[in-house]
Amino acid sequence: ELVRAFVNLRLKPNKDLLQDLINKANGLNRANYTSASLKAVDTEVEKANVVLNNPEATKEEVEAAVSELTKALAGLEANPVETVKPGDTTVSVKTGDTTNMMYSLGGLAVASIIFYGNKKRKNK
């Protein structure tokens, strides 16, 4: 009996990566993605949960679930960002500053050198 039990003994696959992927999928901000891509992720999460909760799941089943869920998460499509709504007549104001400060600092350094040189010359 002991030999038969030993032969039938199987190693249980590690499901940590699968659990992490399910947690990642459940933690997504659903407003940022298209409903079609979220549907694909939801389908794979359901399948992955079945494998995760199956104590008899094989290593191959776990790896397949990880692969499919990873593929679904990689296939997420972001919602298009609508910057101007139809009929909106307000003008957008650019709020970022793109001025390069090196020119200002360089000018200040040159002016300081000239000022210092003129002051030193007047003192002689």
Side-chain angles (χ1 to χ4, degrees):
E1 283 184 41
L2 184 59
V3 172
R4 188 177 309 128
F6 183 73
V7 169
N8 291 331
L9 182 65
R10 291 186 302 176
L11 290 175
K12 294 192 181 217
N14 186 349
K15 298 179 182 179
D16 292 342
L17 180 57
L18 184 59
Q19 180 66 55
D20 290 343
L21 287 171
I22 291 171
N23 291 341
K24 180 180 177 182
N26 289 334
L28 291 173
N29 184 352
R30 299 180 73 80
N32 293 341
Y33 302 101
T34 62
S35 59
S37 63
L38 284 172
K39 185 177 179 182
V41 170
D42 291 340
T43 301
E44 293 306 323
V45 167
E46 288 177 23
K47 292 177 185 177
N49 274 320
V50 169
V51 172
L52 183 67
N53 295 324
N54 180 1
E56 300 298 318
T58 64
K59 180 181 177 185
E60 290 77 20
E61 290 172 328
V62 173
E63 289 174 351
V66 166
S67 174
E68 292 301 316
L69 187 51
T70 302
K71 194 183 305 179
L73 287 171
L76 280 172
E77 296 174 6
N79 275 331
V81 178
E82 190 173 319
T83 55
V84 178
K85 296 179 181 173
D88 187 4
T89 59
T90 58
V91 177
S92 297
V93 177
K94 188 174 181 182
T95 58
D97 187 11
T98 59
T99 304
N100 189 346
M101 291 300 295
M102 291 306 291
Y103 296 120
S104 299
L105 293 175
L108 183 62
V110 170
S112 296
I113 291 170
I114 292 172
F115 177 74
Y116 179 74
N118 283 340
K119 190 173 184 178
K120 195 173 186 182
R121 191 171 40 160
K122 283 183 183 179
N123 288 339
K124 284 187 180 180

